[in-house]
Amino acid sequence: MLRWAQCGASHRCCDFRLLQTPVFFRRHLSTSVRNRMNTMLGRSMLAVALLVPLSALAFATSAWAAEEPQTGKLEQIIPGHYMYSSGARISGVIATSEGVVVLDALSSEAMAKHERQLIAATIKQPVRYLISSTFHGNYSLGNVAYPDVIRIGHENYKADLIDMMKMDNMPPARQAAMLPHQTYRDRMTLYLGGKEIQILYVGRAHTRGDSIVFVPQDRIVYLSEVFFDGRFPFMNSGYVDWIHALDVALNLEADIFVPGQGPSSLLSNPRASREALNRARQVLVDFRDGVEKEIARGRNGGSGRGSSPASKISSHDGIPAAKGTSRAPYVSRS
């Protein structure tokens, strides 16, 4: 069976239904590698996985609530646009004369309430919309603090969030408080306070239901966890299509790209964020190339488990890994 490693926590932070088949990953590889795999799979199966120290992986909902800080800070990027950050997590905030749009409620009800308090004190406008991108608990558990706003997410986000909550045996009332009121398939556009706010689906990336938010008038796009800035991305439910999603974002008529994970240098130089996004894209390209190389080596009797995916990965040694993640994938036979 060919799969990405799964998280070892009690709830599903990975998309198990899609990841547990050889077909899933083969679709994302180059034609030549895919053809070699098709020949090989009849004799021996490969498992391509991230080396994830399960003891360090803390994605259970109770663990997030207990271990992560419950407060953060709200800072202006450019007039009308803010980021709320707590630890490595970043939530986007768009301010208009008629209200506020928030992207990602983050890890807990307490954290989300603190963000709302800062919005009320700083922007002095009510929150009208919550847009959710990542179904993982550390970006969606705060949804319950937004009972009075319109909650929006991609249709795949809703499906995966439902599955995660069921696996967690979450009470029905809490499930209802977390779910989006509205979903979309390709795009949705809001008009608020004279601003056009585009909610875009750019394909499978960090998850299969990520949303990004583009404000053409201000040439700024919020990418949630599609963009890990200065940080090696958490890939357990990621797709190789992630690279294409970043290409779509980079082709938008935007100057500022707001990440969902930091630490980010965005505030010191917002217009340098395109360069930072290109660096994040290169990390994924090098990782993909390394995995393809190891699959090819496995086909020809490579060294197997423990081998490095590619020497290129070492060039990113200055980028810290996301919590619970190792940068070194391996190829093993099973």
Side-chain angles (χ1 to χ4, degrees):
M1 178 170 61
L2 187 68
R3 59 178 174 82
W4 290 105
Q6 298 170 5
C7 127
S10 61
H11 82 266
R12 191 197 76 185
C13 70
C14 310
D15 193 344
F16 290 159
R17 291 170 301 150
L18 293 179
L19 299 183
Q20 288 184 316
T21 67
V23 173
F24 160 76
F25 195 79
R26 276 186 286 161
R27 284 176 178 167
H28 304 309
L29 299 175
S30 68
T31 301
S32 60
V33 172
R34 186 164 61 244
N35 289 340
R36 289 196 295 273
M37 286 180 60
N38 288 336
T39 302
M40 179 184 63
L41 281 170
R43 300 198 301 269
S44 65
M45 307 296 279
L46 292 176
V48 178
L50 296 172
L51 290 176
V52 180
L54 297 182
S55 62
L57 208 55
F59 278 110
T61 55
S62 59
W64 279 114
E67 295 181 8
E68 299 298 332
Q70 301 301 301
T71 60
K73 53 187 177 182
L74 182 68
E75 298 171 286
Q76 181 175 276
I77 304 168
I78 58 173
H81 296 272
Y82 298 78
M83 54 186 278
Y84 174 87
S85 57
S86 179
R89 295 172 305 279
I90 296 170
S91 168
V93 178
I94 303 168
T96 80
S97 60
E98 295 178 352
V100 173
V101 178
V102 172
L103 174 62
D104 293 326
L106 301 184
S107 301
S108 68
E109 183 174 6
M111 186 180 294
K113 285 183 174 178
H114 182 252
E115 179 175 1
R116 294 197 67 173
Q117 290 169 0
L118 293 183
I119 289 171
T122 304
I123 302 173
K124 298 180 172 57
Q125 288 284 351
V127 177
R128 301 296 188 189
Y129 297 93
L130 170 68
I131 303 165
S132 296
S133 179
T134 301
F135 74 91
H136 298 157
N138 58 328
Y139 278 72
S140 285
L141 289 176
N143 289 6
V144 296
Y146 291 86
D148 55 333
V149 312
I150 298 172
R151 300 190 298 272
I152 299 170
H154 188 265
E155 58 189 17
N156 290 340
Y157 165 84
K158 181 178 181 179
D160 289 340
L161 182 62
I162 289 172
D163 286 352
M164 184 191 77
M165 293 189 297
K166 286 180 177 178
M167 291 188 72
D168 282 345
N169 295 315
M170 193 173 289
R174 189 169 181 84
Q175 291 188 36
M178 287 182 62
L179 285 172
H181 300 113
Q182 298 179 10
T183 62
Y184 72 99
R185 177 164 296 176
D186 297 314
R187 64 189 297 147
M188 177 184 288
T189 302
L190 307 176
Y191 296 92
L192 189 67
K195 289 188 184 295
E196 176 185 328
I197 300 170
Q198 299 178 8
I199 309 168
L200 306 175
Y201 181 61
V202 292
R204 301 180 301 188
H206 178 65
T207 71
R208 68 183 187 121
D210 301 304
S211 295
I212 70 171
V213 180
F214 177 41
V215 186
Q217 174 182 331
D218 298 328
R219 299 182 66 87
I220 186 170
V221 56
Y222 295 82
L223 288 102
S224 184
E225 284 194 295
V226 175
F227 180 16
F228 282 64
D229 187 7
R231 190 174 185 85
F232 195 84
F234 187 85
M235 293 182 172
N236 274 31
S237 46
Y239 294 78
V240 180
D241 300 359
W242 197 336
I243 298 165
H244 172 71
L246 292 181
D247 289 338
V248 173
L250 285 164
N251 282 324
L252 295 172
E253 294 185 0
D255 299 321
I256 301 171
F257 299 83
V258 183
Q261 281 263 8
S264 174
S265 60
L266 178 71
L267 294 175
S268 63
N269 188 1
R271 283 169 175 77
S273 55
R274 177 178 286 273
E275 180 181 349
L277 184 56
N278 274 309
R279 287 196 300 270
R281 180 188 183 279
Q282 190 60 46
V283 168
L284 292 172
V285 168
D286 289 350
F287 190 88
R288 177 203 62 193
D289 292 349
V291 169
E292 288 193 348
K293 177 180 177 182
E294 289 307 306
I295 290 173
R297 288 181 62 186
R299 167 68 178 88
N300 294 312
S303 59
R305 181 169 178 163
S307 57
S308 172
S311 59
K312 287 183 181 179
I313 297 298
S314 65
S315 68
H316 303 297
D317 283 345
I319 299 179
K323 181 178 179 180
T325 307
S326 168
R327 287 195 298 248
Y330 64 87
V331 176
S332 64
R333 296 180 185 276
S334 61

